[in-house]
Amino acid sequence: MINVTLRQLRYFDALARHSHFGRAADACAISQPALSMQIREMEQAVGGVLIERGARQVSLTKFGEELLHRVRDILRSVDELGDFARASRDRLAGRLRVGMIPTIAPYLLPRVIENLARAHPELDIHVRETLTPKLIKEVAEGRLDTAIVALPVSEPSLTEVALFTESFLLVRPAEAAGTPVPSSEMLREMRLLLLEEGHCFRDQALSFCNMQSSPPREVLDASSLSTLVQMVGAGIGVTLIPEMAVAVETRSAPVSVSRFKNPQPSRTIGMVWRKSSPLAGQLQQISEVVRLAAAALRAPKGDGGAKEAAKKPVAGARRR
């Protein structure tokens, strides 16, 4: 009989994810020597080498890669036992692991956390902000309970629930206020600033402009919407940002914000979770909390605010 502990399985999973003993030990909140000892004991228990140890990082052996799939199945099943117990309660309580993409998290997250804490004070919320492919993978593997992303994700194992739709707005230098809003065809002839590859918002903006993922014209990349807006304020080019981000990102930049003519570019934001999740019913309730938080966030501004912003520079914005 193989004597492997659940703790060793979690340590092995962490080491496989981080490919580094130090980072994996930090993630598991133990010392590096302790982690190394547990991995060696696990190797002895299963009768094979799991890790190729290098000077700077580690990699899995073929045996380790084959075992990892089974280990993650076991860990997911164990976590779902806890989820099953939580789902049987009358109230929402316990750990909730939520993922969000970077073009949503800074704007929606504070209000969502506030509303969830007020409505369900016994929830222990853990947030993970990263790109869509990583979030989908982690939800599917059971490392996240749910994720808030742009839909569709088209993953058969996941449930998708649409929450709201928001438009993309055009951000130009302040002196462009009041000038005609360029069409998508005209944008292809301008210096368009976009998020770096890997962000779904980049692909959505390129799709609106009918440009490929590697457009032939000069396109400058950034890692955040904030950087894009500041670059526009410096006169480097123009960009598109989701409506939710406008109030936060344009308040300290000398830019003008304009709404495109119909049909406006937009995206649908929603929540995803595993179809097999015992928390499906609770996650459906949480999706309503998120929906209401997003509606409250967008309500004060409305269409009028965006149209007014198209006529003049953002209030308070000035060159320094």
Side-chain angles (χ1 to χ4, degrees):
M1 178 178 177
I2 296 177
N3 187 17
V4 176
T5 67
L6 182 61
R7 179 178 297 175
Q8 288 171 342
L9 297 183
R10 293 198 184 279
Y11 291 168
F12 175 58
D13 174 54
L15 187 56
R17 283 189 282 112
H18 293 281
S19 299
H20 189 276
F21 272 100
R23 291 191 293 269
D26 289 342
C28 296
I30 63 170
S31 68
Q32 184 172 331
L35 175 66
S36 181
M37 181 183 69
Q38 290 291 327
I39 296 299
R40 288 190 183 279
E41 289 182 0
M42 182 176 172
E43 288 178 323
Q44 292 173 1
V46 300
V49 178
L50 302 173
I51 302 294
E52 292 182 6
R53 294 161 173 82
R56 295 187 177 179
Q57 65 178 26
V58 299
S59 59
L60 299 183
T61 63
K62 182 178 180 181
F63 176 54
E65 290 177 349
E66 293 174 351
L67 189 65
L68 180 63
H69 297 294
R70 292 167 173 79
V71 166
R72 286 178 171 167
D73 286 342
I74 293 169
L75 293 177
R76 181 165 57 248
S77 296
V78 170
D79 288 340
E80 287 184 351
L81 281 176
D83 292 343
F84 181 78
R86 291 163 56 199
S88 65
R89 303 173 186 170
D90 294 332
R91 64 190 186 281
L92 293 173
R95 183 184 63 176
L96 177 67
R97 300 165 299 174
V98 181
M100 286 192 189
I101 56 177
T103 55
I104 296 176
Y107 323 110
L108 183 60
L109 180 60
R111 191 175 292 266
V112 168
I113 295 296
E114 178 185 356
N115 290 359
L116 284 176
R118 183 170 57 249
H120 308 288
E122 295 183 59
L123 275 178
D124 179 19
I125 304 170
H126 297 247
V127 179
R128 164 103 160 113
E129 178 184 348
T130 189
L131 302 180
T132 299
K134 291 182 180 180
L135 292 178
I136 298 306
K137 185 174 186 292
E138 292 177 19
V139 171
E141 292 178 349
R143 286 186 277 148
L144 288 174
D145 298 311
T146 184
I148 300 175
V149 297
L151 300 181
V153 297
S154 302
E155 172 54 53
S157 66
L158 301 183
T159 294
E160 299 182 15
V161 174
L163 300 176
F164 61 92
T165 298
E166 65 172 344
S167 298
F168 302 162
L169 273 60
L170 176 66
V171 181
R172 297 180 289 177
E175 52 268 23
T179 62
V181 178
S183 64
S184 59
E185 293 78 10
M186 295 171 64
L187 281 179
R188 295 201 297 268
E189 305 301 320
M190 304 173 71
R191 177 179 280 183
L192 184 61
L193 311 181
L194 297 172
L195 292 174
E196 61 191 1
E197 290 189 13
H199 290 268
C200 58
F201 186 74
R202 171 192 174 93
D203 298 331
Q204 293 158 352
L206 288 173
S207 176
F208 170 66
C209 300
N210 196 23
M211 300 166 73
Q212 301 300 316
S213 59
S214 297
R217 287 196 162 270
E218 183 178 13
V219 173
L220 302 181
D221 298 339
S223 60
S224 70
L225 294 176
S226 179
T227 300
L228 289 178
V229 173
Q230 293 299 325
M231 291 167 69
V232 172
I236 295 176
V238 302
T239 193
L240 278 66
I241 65 172
E243 190 169 4
M244 183 184 298
V246 169
V248 172
E249 300 301 351
T250 63
R251 61 190 174 192
S252 62
V255 297
S256 64
V257 182
S258 306
R259 190 179 294 278
F260 291 99
K261 295 181 179 179
N262 291 326
Q264 298 179 34
S266 64
R267 65 177 180 178
T268 298
I269 301 301
M271 276 179 58
V272 298
W273 57 81
R274 296 184 309 284
K275 291 180 178 178
S276 62
S277 174
L279 297 175
Q282 293 182 328
L283 293 172
Q284 186 71 53
Q285 295 179 49
I286 290 171
S287 73
E288 288 303 313
V289 175
V290 177
R291 190 197 310 273
L292 292 174
L297 187 65
R298 287 156 35 234
K301 180 171 55 180
D303 288 348
K307 291 177 181 177
E308 181 65 21
K311 298 178 183 178
K312 60 183 179 181
V314 176
R318 61 185 183 274
R319 297 195 181 277
R320 300 184 179 185

